[in-house]
Amino acid sequence: MAGNVLKRSASLVLATALLAAGPVFAQTAPTVQPSDNGQLPDREPSGRLVVILPDILVDLFDGAADGSARPGDSADLTDPAPVPTPNPGPGSPPPGDPAQASPANPPPSPLTAPQAVSGDFVPDEVLVTIDGDAQSVQDIAAALNLDIRSQRLSTLLGVTVVRYGIPDGRPVGVVLAQLAGDQRTLRREPNHIYDLQQAAAIVNYAFQRIALDSSAASGENVRVAVIDTAVDDTHPALSGVIAGTFDAMPGTPVEDRDHGTSIAGLIAGVGPFRGIAPGAAIYHARAFEGGKSTMDVLLAALDWAAEQDVRIVNMSFVGPRNDLLELGCMAARKRGMVLVAAAGNNGPKAPYGYPAAYDGVIAVTATDEKDELMPKANRGPYVFISAPGVEVLAPVGGGTDVVTGTSFAAAIVTGAITNLLHAAPDHDAGWIEEALAETASDLGDKGRDSDFGFGLMNTRAVLDRKR
């Protein structure tokens, strides 16, 4: 990814240049491998490698070996400590000049230390939630020399989300720190980038492994949201399956359809290819192209899903921890939505994958027909449950193919939960989580572990438990 290489190079050059110039923080954007309002939980392990120079922090990697705190941990949710305001130049108004301050034009806040930023992100954008009206959005842009690229009222967050562009090349961490000084901003986040979790790739063995009778499987009357690529809605497996669609990136031409077609088909496919929960109504949000999406797009898709009154949301993607996504997931869960996400395909030593690692999200890892773990699956205590995801038959544009990845394991768990809600629609998200944990077939170390979670999904045992 050329953009990430440029950002790494630029950060190293900047660090070298500033070594003699004085204290400042430099940032980079490490590449992510493809793969009520209370205190937010700190669930991600330490493990970031940083290079410490005199008064310079160069954040190079996602993980740290020295136990230092990671950007994105709960300790980072507070505003940076201010540093002294520089002396005003000739002709500048004196500090605190009342003629310069008004509600629409508040006095400038002290400069703050630039924030370190982890994960892959759009290099010239930030996302901000605003406590104010359209005029406030414009005033902030004018005060900090930012472009307003989009703004909308978030259904789940209940506030205005603004995507500001940075036209002058300032690092994202610097702009986030500058925004932290404006009391009209509530949250300030990078526009993080997220990846679909499809690994490189015969019979679909999933029904047998999760103990679900394919002839009795049904998701009728259950609404399921899928946030993914576009789908091939002409595919026979999706005939009558897609109940509603939303394009969260309308300005981007549609080229990718395979991943979304596979996910929707595995959940609710019909005809010759039978999904785990045929009869379910799929509400499909297109939010990925080229395997990539951004935080603003994903939040718009999640808001749309909430507006459709869906019971379940399938999120077969992974990216960095982001405060806005976490708040969106928390709000969705409070609405009673079951959230299912791919644990990630980045390997045993990879950092946690989000949104799977958030509380209230069911993190799914992938196993094969022998119930062995996919070698490149993420590990960690956030892994909740296992399901088939290695060499699983799935629909793709124009036919079917064998696919591998935690993306597809997540879709199978989403389909299984859809069966549970079809059989017992009054059960809530908390009951579903508890039932999955108590009935899973234990794999690996006894009890819940960082490889398999509670174990292999056992649909029959959950259905028996409801009675």
Side-chain angles (χ1 to χ4, degrees), residues 48-320:
R48 182 198 317 263
L49 179 60
V50 296
V51 179
I52 304 297
L53 301 177
D55 292 320
I56 301 177
L57 174 61
V58 183
D59 180 355
L60 294 175
F61 302 106
D62 271 342
D66 60 359
S68 57
R70 300 179 45 128
D73 285 347
S74 58
D76 274 349
L77 294 178
T78 57
D79 290 337
V83 298
T85 304
N87 293 327
S92 298
D97 184 349
Q100 302 297 318
S102 70
N105 184 28
S109 59
L111 295 179
T112 53
Q115 298 177 200
V117 182
S118 64
D120 203 6
F121 56 90
V122 180
D124 64 341
E125 290 183 354
V126 291
L127 294 182
V128 183
T129 55
I130 301 293
D131 181 15
D133 55 15
Q135 187 61 50
S136 296
V137 173
Q138 295 175 11
D139 290 343
I140 292 169
L144 292 179
N145 188 29
L146 300 173
D147 298 331
I148 303 171
R149 295 186 177 173
S150 66
Q151 64 183 93
R152 63 182 185 84
L153 179 63
S154 168
T155 298
L156 291 170
L157 303 185
V159 294
T160 298
V161 179
V162 184
R163 180 166 58 100
Y164 285 117
I166 308 170
D168 56 10
R170 279 170 293 166
V172 165
V174 169
V175 175
L176 291 175
Q178 292 171 333
L179 286 161
D182 194 311
Q183 295 182 353
R184 294 167 297 187
T185 68
L186 302 175
R187 300 279 179 176
R188 302 151 297 275
E189 289 289 318
N191 194 6
H192 276 125
I193 295 173
Y194 293 75
D195 299 317
L196 292 171
Q197 294 301 285
Q198 176 174 2
I202 263 182
V203 193
N204 195 337
Y205 58 93
F207 283 100
Q208 177 190 12
R209 300 315 308 148
I210 66 170
L212 177 63
D213 180 357
S214 62
S215 64
S218 175
E220 189 175 358
N221 298 323
V222 182
R223 295 180 169 216
V224 181
V226 172
I227 301 176
D228 215 284
T229 69
V231 295
D232 177 7
D233 53 9
T234 67
H235 198 292
L238 299 184
S239 178
V241 171
I242 307 300
T245 60
F246 172 68
D247 192 346
M249 44 198 316
T252 304
V254 175
E255 296 182 4
D256 298 344
R257 298 183 186 271
D258 284 352
H259 195 274
T261 300
S262 294
I263 298 300
L266 282 168
I267 296 171
V270 295
F273 182 90
R274 189 173 180 83
I276 301 297
I282 299 294
Y283 288 81
H284 189 89
R286 179 229 179 185
F288 282 84
E289 198 59 59
K292 303 287 184 182
S293 188
T294 57
M295 185 62 259
D296 61 315
V297 170
L298 293 176
L299 185 56
L302 191 57
D303 275 332
W304 176 81
E307 293 162 5
Q308 309 316 302
D309 195 28
V310 300
R311 294 296 308 274
I312 313 172
V313 182
N314 187 93
M315 301 180 288
S316 289
F317 52 83
V318 158

Side-chain angles (χ1 to χ4, degrees), residues 323-402:
D323 194 12
L324 297 182
L325 182 58
E326 182 167 14
L327 291 172
C329 288
M330 290 169 62
R333 179 59 188 273
K334 286 178 66 176
R335 284 178 169 238
M337 296 158 65
V338 181
L339 306 176
V340 181
N345 303 337
N346 300 322
K349 297 182 180 180
Y352 288 6
Y354 295 92
Y358 293 135
D359 282 331
V361 178
I362 297 171
V364 184
T365 194
T367 52
D368 63 17
E369 59 184 338
K370 297 180 180 180
D371 299 336
E372 295 178 355
L373 191 66
M374 185 181 81
K376 290 191 69 63
N378 285 34
R379 315 296 206 273
Y382 71 97
V383 175
F384 190 88
I385 203 159
S386 307
V390 178
E391 295 186 346
V392 175
L393 190 67
V396 296
T400 57
D401 201 356
V402 173

